[in-house]
Amino acid sequence: MAHHTTNYLTTFIEVADDCPTDHAVEPPASEKPTIAALHYRLIAEQPYARTSDDVIFETYAQRNGVALDDTAARDAFFSKGQPCLRSSPLGKRYGWGLHHDDEGRVALVARDSEQYALLAADPAIAHTRAMRGRRA
């Protein structure tokens, strides 16, 4: 079975061109956590502990009552292409950049931080942007 990955290596996903906030905002908490809230919690609580695949599968698992250690479910989930973290609301709407280290593990970087400015200007890493929230 083919495995489609969403992981990036040594890459900085900058906020979307049309991100409505000029500073990073924590997504609102709610009774049924949103994708944004789940992504935020998984990455913010343990920076550089999970890959993009881990974050995306754990989000799916939590929202659908799937066990995190169900390797068959994970294999089935990734047998089809999945949207990567470029489509996460964190970079589209909430002002968070996503830095992937050389092992693919991800951390949040507030758009209004010095670290964001340094990463955005770093020629040694790959750069991409979060997807726009709406068509231009």
Side-chain angles (χ1 to χ4, degrees):
M1 187 176 336
H3 178 87
H4 298 272
T5 184
T6 65
N7 292 340
Y8 285 92
L9 301 176
T10 321
T11 299
F12 186 47
I13 300 175
E14 299 172 31
V15 299
D17 290 328
D18 63 349
C19 180
T21 179
D22 60 1
H23 59 281
V25 180
E26 185 175 338
S30 58
E31 200 170 303
K32 184 176 193 296
T34 62
I35 287 173
L38 288 168
H39 284 180
Y40 179 85
R41 188 168 47 81
L42 289 169
I43 301 168
E45 285 179 359
Q46 294 180 293
Y48 299 114
R50 292 175 174 88
T51 65
S52 173
D53 281 359
D54 295 336
V55 171
I56 289 169
F57 181 72
E58 287 184 40
T59 300
Y60 164 80
Q62 288 183 28
R63 291 174 61 99
N64 294 281
V66 174
L68 288 180
D69 60 357
D70 186 337
T71 53
R74 187 177 172 119
D75 289 345
F77 181 76
F78 284 112
S79 70
K80 299 186 288 295
Q82 297 296 332
C84 70
L85 287 176
R86 287 186 56 225
S87 68
S88 173
L90 296 177
K92 290 168 74 168
R93 212 162 93 223
Y94 293 103
W96 294 97
L98 294 150
H99 179 240
H100 300 257
D101 70 11
D102 58 0
E103 294 180 36
R105 298 167 310 196
V106 65
L108 295 173
V109 184
R111 105 179 275 179
D112 48 327
S113 70
E114 186 177 339
Q115 184 190 11
Y116 186 99
L118 291 170
L119 286 166
D122 187 345
I125 60 176
H127 295 266
T128 187
R129 283 202 172 270
M131 294 175 181
R132 295 175 61 86
R134 50 209 157 278
R135 293 209 161 106

